[in-house]
Amino acid sequence: MNHSIPSIPGMSTDVIPRSGETRGLTTRSGETRGLAQAGGAMFLVGTLAGVAGAIQDYPLYGGQALRYLLAAAVLLAVTRLAGLRFVRLTPRETALLVALSLTGLVIFNICVIEATRHGGPALVGTVLGTVPLALALLDGRPSPRVIGAAAVVVAGATVATGLGSGDLTGLLWSLGALVCEVCFSLLALPLLPKLGAVRVSAYSAALAVPLLMAAGLLIDGTAMVRVPTLGEAAGLGYQSIIVTTVAFFLWYNALPRLGPGRAGLFAGLIPVGAIATGAVLGLGAPSAADLAGAALVVTGIVIGLSAPAPSRVTGS
């Protein structure tokens, strides 16, 4: 029986095989859209660095709880407007969703916060630059070309970010952030065929709110939330709408189309997004190392995408 698929602007419905199509095969147009979505998602995540200064004095855990609260509200409203009905999850799927929210959102933010305090953003950015290589190695049987391309992307991200300085504690927190970033993709893959990108994004963001509030109460007490200044409100709003709502949706739409190995190559655009944002906001012109790193990242992505694309089971 065919069911009509609700559609809203910017939402893809070609991830669902239609009558007469071979299930599990990604169409050429779907893959092209996946490439654009993966690149856009990781670039937007990179712009986060440009607004970090606006919220650096706001309580960190309370601020992140507010960020995900607003994002969840927007995403849940989108699910309602799109006519996406509630889907009953199995115990295993519920556990996966909770694990996704706990690791990919809550613990990831805690690791990044603590790593930045001990080692600075350069150390965190360098370690997170290895995400493409980690996802390529974990993607079943990645081709040598994809692995080589991931290594080029990692090199470019390292050059663009700079190794910086930090202690062992900062390095361990950064490695924790890397593991959580990988979990953000791999734990979502089994959920996407049943829930789709919007619901996975909405449910994981909603689950992160009470978890972050609990962490905030333990660390900051009642001072975890206060009325933000105009600049802080703008920064938190940007994180909620652009970096969370839009980027999550784009990434989770692209992931089943491309697979973690090929999609992970675009994580190298995170420092590129940071460089571009800094230039636009007048925070400093990119250095020769920044430009060289960006060129390496683009080269690595092109090499990786030239590898034959495996057939993928796409989400609904």
Side-chain angles (χ1 to χ4, degrees), residues 9-311:
M11 178 178 293
S12 170
T13 58
D14 64 5
V15 295
I16 304 174
R18 291 165 171 79
S19 176
E21 293 181 347
T22 303
R23 185 174 181 85
L25 296 180
T26 302
T27 64
R28 182 177 297 275
S29 62
E31 181 177 351
T32 300
R33 181 174 296 179
L35 298 176
Q37 289 172 334
M42 292 297 101
F43 184 87
L44 290 178
V45 170
T47 66
L48 182 63
V51 299
I55 59 173
Q56 63 181 354
D57 295 327
Y58 195 86
L60 292 169
Y61 298 96
Q64 292 303 303
L66 291 175
R67 164 193 175 182
Y68 286 117
L69 178 62
L70 176 58
V74 172
L75 286 164
L76 289 172
V78 170
T79 63
R80 184 175 181 84
L81 291 172
L84 298 175
R85 292 172 292 188
F86 174 77
V87 176
R88 186 180 299 275
L89 299 178
T90 65
R92 176 180 177 275
E93 290 166 341
T94 301
L96 281 173
L97 189 61
V98 172
L100 167 63
S101 183
L102 181 63
T103 58
L105 280 67
V106 177
I107 299 180
F108 172 79
N109 278 283
I110 293 174
C111 287
V112 169
I113 290 166
E114 296 299 335
T116 302
R117 286 174 175 171
H118 288 278
L123 176 62
V124 186
T126 300
V127 173
L128 288 179
T130 64
V131 166
L133 185 57
L135 287 175
L137 293 174
L138 292 171
D139 186 22
R141 296 180 180 179
S143 69
R145 184 179 298 181
V146 171
I147 294 177
V152 174
V153 171
V154 169
T158 302
V159 171
T161 309
L163 290 174
S165 61
D167 54 22
L168 178 60
T169 303
L171 176 61
L172 292 176
W173 280 113
S174 297
L175 291 174
L178 170 62
V179 172
C180 291
E181 182 68 11
V182 172
C183 289
F184 179 72
S185 294
L186 297 186
L187 290 175
L189 277 173
L191 298 169
L192 288 168
K194 184 172 183 178
L195 294 178
V198 178
R199 280 179 290 209
V200 169
S201 301
Y203 295 171
S204 60
L207 283 171
V209 176
L211 296 173
L212 282 163
M213 289 182 65
L217 286 173
L218 286 174
I219 296 172
D220 298 323
T222 56
M224 65 170 287
V225 176
R226 61 171 172 78
V227 177
T229 65
L230 184 60
E232 290 170 341
L236 291 171
Y238 183 88
Q239 283 191 335
S240 296
I241 304 302
I242 304 301
V243 181
T244 304
T245 305
V246 176
F248 277 29
F249 172 72
L250 292 176
W251 182 248
Y252 282 149
N253 248 314
L255 193 59
R257 289 193 173 100
L258 304 178
R262 300 180 82 220
L265 294 171
F266 288 94
L269 290 178
I270 292 176
V272 178
I275 293 169
T277 306
V280 170
L281 296 179
L283 301 177
S287 65
D290 292 332
L291 297 176
L296 276 174
V297 166
V298 173
T299 300
I301 292 173
V302 171
I303 293 172
L305 296 180
S306 67
S311 297

